[in-house]
Amino acid sequence: QVQLVESGGGVVQSGGSLRLSCVASGFTLADYAIGWFRQGSGRELEKIACLGNRDGATYYADSVKGRFTISRDNAANTVTLQMDSLKFGDAGDYICAAGRTTAVTEYYCSPYTYDYEYWGLGTQVTVSL
């Protein structure tokens, strides 16, 4: 069965850290670019971080640059999102997506949902003040 499953969400105090994981089954994650998206309450889906599948390029939204790190563990078929110095505004449902031909550079990652073939269901992050 082809699926993406996120984990690692939870409740954390402002300034704290969380490490999210996105595990793939049924396909090889290394062949796909990965995007992490965030959807806060009443807000649109926001692209947070991306990792390319060709040259390992990484993209970060300005709102998380310097605080979040995306990385890949091919042996575990997993992509992780390390989130440090969390802020109240970082709260939301974090969703990973995989796209075989999705372009990723330091300055660009597709924000279009149709560019990603597989989507997880998300993991919830709550940041308390």
Side-chain angles (χ1 to χ4, degrees):
Q1 182 180 3
V2 174
Q3 62 178 358
L4 288 172
V5 178
E6 303 92 336
S7 63
V11 181
V12 63
Q13 283 190 325
S14 179
S17 298
L18 282 175
R19 186 176 180 87
L20 306 183
S21 294
C22 173
V23 180
S25 58
F27 68 103
T28 302
L29 202 55
D31 295 335
Y32 290 73
I34 299 298
W36 277 99
F37 294 79
R38 175 173 70 198
Q39 186 151 36
S41 179
R43 294 160 58 182
E44 292 186 355
L45 193 66
E46 179 186 7
K47 178 184 58 181
I48 295 300
C50 299
L51 177 60
N53 60 333
R54 296 185 181 89
D55 57 2
T58 56
Y59 166 91
Y60 297 97
D62 288 343
S63 60
V64 305
K65 198 171 294 184
R67 300 188 296 120
F68 289 14
T69 304
I70 187 171
S71 61
R72 189 192 295 272
D73 182 345
N74 291 336
N77 220 23
T78 299
V79 170
T80 61
L81 184 67
Q82 177 66 39
M83 307 189 298
D84 298 318
S85 303
L86 282 162
K87 303 176 181 179
F88 183 73
D90 292 323
D93 195 23
Y94 282 70
I95 305 162
C96 67
R100 195 175 184 97
T101 60
T102 307
V104 178
T105 72
E106 179 183 356
Y107 306 103
Y108 177 81
C109 173
S110 174
Y112 306 110
T113 57
Y114 57 72
D115 278 339
Y116 300 86
E117 290 97 315
Y118 305 120
W119 290 80
L121 296 180
T123 184
Q124 187 70 32
V125 172
T126 302
V127 183
S128 60
L129 295 173

